[in-house]
């Protein structure tokens, strides 16, 4: 991704509310899991994956804001692409998450990768394997909401509520312009590059140009479900059902 001036650089998942950065959230999550590990061992733990919510979205539609609302209401942690990439890129965090996961689900990581991708799982780049390991490890460690990176394609489908968020290009441009405090031309430039990056990721990792609507339990059009709180309530209700 090109380097934009600070005031016009857009990181997918950004919205007006200030969140802790990826490093802070990642370390916080790992510390909490580390503290709970002995407690979990003492009482015995369920070996199945906790129910997981996976958001797929068009860049700029507002998925992270909705995910944060759902997470706050139901007590789920939220992991977007920034957090996943931070864990995948930090050797110490990566080692801890994989170790915790292997402790709970011995030998399961390779099995899940093979189920998702067959032989392709073993010829992916090191970066891709590390990213997938971070996704699977986080999902196995505790109830999690994922935003982006095609996570619904990686996890056991029966344990996932897969949600697709879409909107018109006009809606996304208006939202980006507000976030970046930039004109429409600059917002359009940033959106085009972000869409290109997302397409390239899907093609290189999954061999797909885009996500099919048939992959999801729920598709929400944010042109009509305008309020993030309303979308969050729909997702929460769907998870409970």
């Amino acid at each position: 991704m090109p380097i934009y001036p600070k005031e016009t650089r857009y990181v997918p998942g950004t919205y007006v509310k200030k969140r802790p950065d990826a490093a802070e959230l990642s370390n916080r999550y790992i510390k909490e899991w580390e503290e709970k590990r002995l407690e979990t061992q003492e009482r015995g733990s369920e070996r199945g994956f906790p129910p997981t919510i996976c958001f797929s979205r068009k860049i700029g539609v507002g998925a992270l804001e909705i995910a944060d609302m759902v997470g706050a209401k139901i007590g789920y942690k939220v992991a977007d692409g920034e957090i996943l990439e931070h864990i995948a890129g930090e050797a110490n965090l990566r080692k801890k998450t994989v170790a915790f996961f292997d402790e709970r689900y011995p030998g399961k990581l390779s099995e899940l990768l093979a189920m998702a991708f067959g032989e392709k799982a073993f010829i992916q780049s090191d970066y891709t394997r590390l990213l997938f390991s971070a996704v699977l490890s986080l999902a196995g460690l505790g109830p999690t909401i994922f935003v982006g990176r095609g996570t619904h394609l990686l996890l056991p489908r029966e344990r996932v509520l897969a949600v697709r968020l879409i909107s018109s290009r006009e809606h996304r441009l208006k939202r980006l312009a507000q976030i970046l405090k930039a004109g429409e031309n600059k917002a359009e430039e940033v959106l085009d590059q972000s869409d290109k990056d997302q397409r390239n990721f899907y093609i290189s990792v999954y061999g797909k140009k885009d996500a099919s609507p048939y992959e999801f339990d729920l598709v929400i059009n944010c042109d009509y479900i305008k309020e993030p709180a309303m979308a969050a309530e729909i997702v929460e209700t769907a998870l409970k059902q």
Side-chain angles (χ1 to χ4, degrees), residues 117-133:
F117 295 99
E119 292 182 2
K120 188 179 177 184
F122 303 101
I123 61 173
Q124 293 287 346
S125 67
D126 288 341
Y127 161 78
T128 303
R129 285 198 297 272
L130 294 174
L131 185 65
F132 290 171
S133 295

Side-chain angles (χ1 to χ4, degrees), residues 48-59:
F49 269 69
T52 301
I53 302 173
C54 294
F55 282 99
S56 173
R57 84 285 192 231
K58 286 290 187 182
I59 297 297

Side-chain angles (χ1 to χ4, degrees), residues 180-197:
L180 299 173
K181 296 181 173 58
E184 188 171 313
N185 288 341
K186 177 56 70 174
E188 189 166 21
E189 178 187 338
V190 174
L191 184 63
D192 286 343
Q193 183 62 50
S194 297
D195 282 346
K196 181 180 178 181
D197 291 340

Side-chain angles (χ1 to χ4, degrees), residues 33 48-52 101 104-105 133-144 146 155-156:
W33 283 317
F49 269 69
T52 301
F101 183 86
R104 293 192 66 189
Y105 310 95
S133 295
V135 171
L136 293 165
S137 298
L138 291 181
L141 291 172
T144 306
F146 291 99
L155 298 166

Side-chain angles (χ1 to χ4, degrees), residues 143-181:
T144 306
I145 299 173
F146 291 99
V147 179
R149 288 297 185 248
T151 49
H152 64 288
L153 298 171
L154 291 172
L155 298 166
R157 189 62 180 85
E158 69 278 5
R159 305 300 293 167
V160 170
L161 175 66
V163 181
R164 177 73 167 168
L165 296 174
I166 62 172
S167 76
S168 64
R169 180 178 173 84
E170 290 72 23
H171 174 87
R172 296 192 293 146
L173 280 172
K174 182 178 179 181
R175 186 173 174 276
L176 278 184
Q178 290 175 339
I179 291 172
L180 299 173
K181 296 181 173 58

Side-chain angles (χ1 to χ4, degrees), residues 2-238:
I3 301 300
Y4 298 108
K6 183 177 180 182
E7 68 275 11
T8 58
R9 181 175 180 270
Y10 174 69
V11 176
T14 302
Y15 65 102
V16 176
K17 177 184 174 183
K18 184 173 176 56
R19 308 174 81 240
D21 64 21
E24 182 181 343
L25 278 175
S26 300
N27 281 287
R28 182 189 303 174
Y29 290 174
I30 300 303
K31 182 179 179 182
E32 289 177 10
W33 283 317
E34 199 165 24
E35 289 172 349
K36 290 178 180 177
R37 187 164 54 152
L38 286 178
E39 177 189 342
T40 302
Q41 287 175 335
E42 288 173 1
R43 68 168 186 261
S45 62
E46 180 183 340
R47 290 297 173 184
F49 269 69
T52 301
I53 302 173
C54 294
F55 282 99
S56 173
R57 84 285 192 231
K58 286 290 187 182
I59 297 297
V61 78
L64 185 58
E65 182 175 5
I66 295 168
D68 278 344
M69 288 181 176
V70 177
K73 292 180 75 174
I74 65 177
Y76 274 42
K77 292 178 173 57
V78 177
D80 65 351
E82 292 280 296
I83 291 175
L84 294 174
E85 290 178 9
H86 179 76
I87 292 175
E90 291 287 329
N92 186 45
L93 289 180
R94 185 172 67 245
K95 184 177 178 181
K96 283 185 177 181
T97 55
V98 171
F100 294 171
F101 183 86
D102 283 342
E103 185 177 282
R104 293 192 66 189
Y105 310 95
K108 195 73 174 173
L109 189 57
S110 294
E111 177 188 332
L112 288 168
L113 287 172
M115 285 175 61
F117 295 99
E119 292 182 2
K120 188 179 177 184
F122 303 101
I123 61 173
Q124 293 287 346
S125 67
D126 288 341
Y127 161 78
T128 303
R129 285 198 297 272
L130 294 174
L131 185 65
F132 290 171
S133 295
V135 171
L136 293 165
S137 298
L138 291 181
L141 291 172
T144 306
I145 299 173
F146 291 99
V147 179
R149 288 297 185 248
T151 49
H152 64 288
L153 298 171
L154 291 172
L155 298 166
R157 189 62 180 85
E158 69 278 5
R159 305 300 293 167
V160 170
L161 175 66
V163 181
R164 177 73 167 168
L165 296 174
I166 62 172
S167 76
S168 64
R169 180 178 173 84
E170 290 72 23
H171 174 87
R172 296 192 293 146
L173 280 172
K174 182 178 179 181
R175 186 173 174 276
L176 278 184
Q178 290 175 339
I179 291 172
L180 299 173
K181 296 181 173 58
E184 188 171 313
N185 288 341
K186 177 56 70 174
E188 189 166 21
E189 178 187 338
V190 174
L191 184 63
D192 286 343
Q193 183 62 50
S194 297
D195 282 346
K196 181 180 178 181
D197 291 340
Q198 186 180 49
R199 282 194 303 271
N200 289 341
F201 176 84
Y202 256 77
I203 290 170
S204 64
V205 173
Y206 298 110
K208 309 169 86 173
K209 291 183 179 179
D210 203 352
S212 165
Y214 296 101
E215 294 169 1
F216 301 97
D217 304 298
L218 184 63
V219 178
I220 297 176
N221 189 332
C222 294
D223 285 336
Y224 302 104
I225 308 296
K226 296 180 183 293
E227 292 298 324
M230 185 185 301
E233 186 174 345
I234 291 170
V235 173
E236 181 188 5
T237 301

